[in-house]
Amino acid sequence: MTAESTRKSYHHGELPQALREATLAILAELGPEGFTLREAARRVGVNHRAVYRHFEDKRSLLAAVAEEGYRSLAVLLRAAVEATGSPSDVAERLVALCEGYLRFARGEPARYQVMFGPRLNSDGRFPSLELAIQEALLVLREELRKAGPASSSLARRDAGITLWSAIHGFSSLVLTQKVPLSERQLSRYVDTVMRPVVRGVLMTLARQ
Amino acid sequence: MTAESTRKSYHHGELPQALREATLAILAELGPEGFTLREAARRVGVNHRAVYRHFEDKRSLLAAVAEEGYRSLAVLLRAAVEATGSPSDVAERLVALCEGYLRFARGEPARYQVMFGPRLNSDGRFPSLELAIQEALLVLREELRKAGPASSSLARRDAGITLWSAIHGFSSLVLTQKVPLSERQLSRYVDTVMRPVVRGVLMTLARQ
DNA sequence: ACCTGAACACCGTTCAAGT
DNA sequence: ACCTGAACACCGTTCAAGT
C-alpha cells in the first residue's frame, strides 16, 4: 500500500515537503473534513508522531499548505491579467482576474476552503500566512492603481476589498453549490456576475 | 453540572428543539470545529445515542440549525430594509440590507460559518435547506424588482447573485479576520465597500 | 416509541523512550 | 537530530438491548 521504498528517505528535511504534498492529496480526495494528521503521516510512511518534529500541530501543517496556496494564487492571478493582452483596458483585466480567481478555487476546492475557512483564523498565529494573503491582494491593488492613478491609496484599498469580497463570495457560493455553474458557461457567467462590480468600483475610484 | 431536573422531560418531542438550542450554544461558545454530537447530548442530559432518534447523523442536526438560520436571516433582512423608511430609494435599502446581513453574520459567526461553510453541501440531501436559502435570497430579489421593474427576471436573478456574492464575501472576510472591522466603524465601512456594488448592479439592471 | 450501554474504529496530543 | 510506541481522552456510528 504505502511506498516501502521511501520509508527511510526522510532524513534531509524532505519530510515537511512530503507532508505538505500528502496534505494536498488528502484535501483533494477527501475534502477539508477528511484531512487528518495521522493520514498524512501514513501516506508518507512515518509514524504520526514524526509530524510534530516539523509542525507544531495539525493547524500548523494546514497553515503551511494554505500559505503555499496564497503564493500560487498570486502567480495565477498575475498570469490571468497578463493573458488578456490588453495593457490598458483595466475592466477587461479585472474581469480576467476574477475568472482566474474562480478557476483557482474550483481547481482545488478543498485547499481553497482551508485557505479561506474558519480553521486558521485564530489569534495572531501564522504571521507569514497573513503576509502571503497580502501579497496575493497586491495583484488586485496594482491593477486598481492603473485604473485610478490619481486616487488615494486608501480609496484603492477599499476598492480592492470590494472586488475581493465579490469574487471570493462568488467562488464560495459556487464551491458550496449555492450557485450552480457548469464548466461550459463559466467564462460567460463570471462576466455577467462580476462586470457590474468592476464597473461600480471603477466609477467610484474615478470620482475620488 | 448538567441540569438534573430536566433529565426526564424529553418525552413529547421537545428533545429535537433542545438539541438545536444546545447546538447553537456550543457553536457560539466553541466555534464550528468545537461542535460535537456528544456534547450536544450531554448538555440536554441525554445519552448521545438518543440524538439518532431524531436526527439521522451529525450533519443532519447541523442542517436543521442552518435551516433555522436561513429563516432568521430572511426575517432580519426584511426588517433591515423596512427600517430605512425609504420605500423608493432602492440603493439606500440595498445598502441597509447589506449592513443587516453583516450584522447577522457577526452576531453569530459560528452559525453563519455552518450555514455557508463546506459542511453541508453534499449531494442532494436536505432539500428543505435549499428551500430556506432561496427564501432568504428572495428578499434581495424583491428589492431588485423595485429597482428595475422592466428588467427580465433572469437579469434580476444575476443581479441578486452579484450582490449576494459581494456581501457574503465581505462578511466571510470580516469573520475570518482577513479584513479588520471594529463595531464603531461598521456602518460607515459597509457603505464604503458595498455602495460601489449597489451602484454597478443598479446601473446594469437599468440598462436591460 | 423512545432511550441506554457497551463496543468499534478512529482522532489529536502528551510522555517517555529508542537510534 | 529525528523518529517510534504506548497511552489518554476524546470522536461518530453500529448493534443489541432495555422500559
Side-chain angles (χ1 to χ4, degrees):
Chain A
M1 274 286 145
T2 58
E4 294 284 343
S5 58
T6 62
R7 277 266 162 104
K8 297 269 165 204
S9 60
Y10 298 114
H11 291 269
H12 317 288
E14 293 174 20
L15 184 51
Q17 179 56 24
L19 286 169
R20 277 195 286 269
E21 282 166 18
T23 300
L24 277 180
I26 296 167
L27 289 174
E29 281 173 43
L30 307 172
E33 313 273 325
F35 170 75
T36 68
L37 189 146
R38 286 169 108 112
E39 175 64 14
R42 233 176 265 131
R43 294 204 179 197
V44 302
V46 295
N47 187 285
H48 64 275
R49 277 293 297 129
V51 178
Y52 289 89
R53 268 308 128 184
H54 305 279
F55 299 95
E56 214 183 320
D57 55 15
K58 187 188 177 184
R59 289 168 95 85
S60 177
L61 173 51
L62 285 173
V65 167
E67 189 178 328
E68 258 186 352
Y70 288 121
R71 294 195 205 291
S72 302
L73 178 58
V75 170
L76 183 145
L77 294 182
R78 237 178 269 276
V81 291
E82 293 313 330
T84 59
S86 315
S88 58
D89 189 341
V90 180
E92 214 53 52
R93 291 168 72 88
L94 287 174
V95 170
L97 184 147
C98 289
E99 182 177 334
Y101 192 106
L102 178 61
R103 285 191 187 280
F104 177 89
R106 255 209 166 192
E108 246 164 315
R111 176 168 68 157
Y112 187 82
Q113 279 155 1
V114 167
M115 288 165 61
F116 288 96
R119 270 183 170 64
L120 306 173
N121 72 328
S122 62
D123 331 53
R125 275 184 88 187
F126 316 126
S128 66
L129 189 68
E130 310 299 326
L131 245 154
I133 300 175
Q134 293 309 317
E135 272 172 39
L137 245 185
L138 204 66
V139 183
L140 203 44
R141 292 167 73 175
E142 280 166 10
E143 290 305 315
L144 289 170
R145 189 194 274 122
K146 290 177 197 160
S151 60
S152 73
S153 108
L154 181 66
R156 286 197 300 268
R157 199 194 93 97
D158 293 340
I161 286 171
T162 299
L163 256 175
W164 189 25
S165 293
I167 187 56
H168 163 57
F170 186 52
S171 300
S172 162
L173 294 177
V174 168
L175 255 50
T176 59
Q177 297 171 45
K178 261 113 190 152
V179 171
L181 180 59
S182 72
E183 175 62 31
R184 242 190 64 252
Q185 56 184 2
L186 190 143
S187 280
R188 193 169 47 81
Y189 201 57
V190 168
D191 198 291
T192 301
V193 169
M194 293 302 300
R195 179 79 62 178
V197 180
V198 169
R199 263 208 271 267
V201 162
L202 293 184
M203 259 180 54
T204 306
L205 213 56
R207 280 191 200 170
Q208 304 284 327
Chain B
M1 274 284 147
T2 58
E4 295 284 344
S5 59
T6 62
R7 278 270 163 103
K8 297 268 165 206
S9 58
Y10 299 113
H11 290 271
H12 317 288
E14 292 174 21
L15 184 50
Q17 180 56 25
L19 285 170
R20 277 194 286 268
E21 282 165 20
T23 299
L24 277 179
I26 296 167
L27 287 175
E29 280 173 45
L30 307 173
E33 312 272 327
F35 168 76
T36 68
L37 189 146
R38 286 168 107 113
E39 176 64 15
R42 232 175 266 133
R43 294 206 178 196
V44 302
V46 295
N47 186 285
H48 64 274
R49 277 294 298 131
V51 178
Y52 289 91
R53 268 307 127 185
H54 305 279
F55 299 95
E56 213 182 324
D57 54 15
K58 187 187 178 187
R59 289 168 94 85
S60 177
L61 174 50
L62 285 174
V65 167
E67 188 178 329
E68 258 185 352
Y70 290 121
R71 295 194 206 291
S72 303
L73 177 58
V75 170
L76 184 145
L77 293 182
R78 238 177 269 274
V81 290
E82 294 313 329
T84 59
S86 315
S88 58
D89 189 341
V90 181
E92 216 53 53
R93 291 168 73 88
L94 287 174
V95 170
L97 182 146
C98 289
E99 182 176 336
Y101 192 105
L102 179 61
R103 286 192 187 280
F104 176 88
R106 257 212 166 189
E108 244 164 318
R111 176 168 68 156
Y112 187 83
Q113 278 155 2
V114 167
M115 288 164 62
F116 288 96
R119 270 183 171 62
L120 305 173
N121 71 329
S122 63
D123 330 52
R125 275 182 89 187
F126 317 127
S128 66
L129 188 67
E130 311 299 325
L131 245 155
I133 299 175
Q134 293 307 318
E135 272 172 39
L137 244 184
L138 205 65
V139 184
L140 201 44
R141 291 166 76 173
E142 279 166 11
E143 289 306 315
L144 289 171
R145 190 194 271 123
K146 291 178 196 157
S151 61
S152 73
S153 108
L154 180 66
R156 287 197 300 268
R157 197 193 94 97
D158 293 340
I161 286 171
T162 299
L163 256 175
W164 189 24
S165 293
I167 186 55
H168 163 58
F170 185 52
S171 300
S172 162
L173 294 177
V174 169
L175 255 51
T176 58
Q177 296 169 45
K178 259 114 195 151
V179 171
L181 180 59
S182 73
E183 176 62 33
R184 242 190 66 252
Q185 56 183 0
L186 189 143
S187 279
R188 193 169 47 79
Y189 201 59
V190 169
D191 198 289
T192 302
V193 169
M194 293 302 299
R195 180 78 62 179
V197 180
V198 169
R199 262 208 270 268
V201 162
L202 293 183
M203 259 180 54
T204 305
L205 212 56
R207 283 192 197 170
Q208 304 285 328

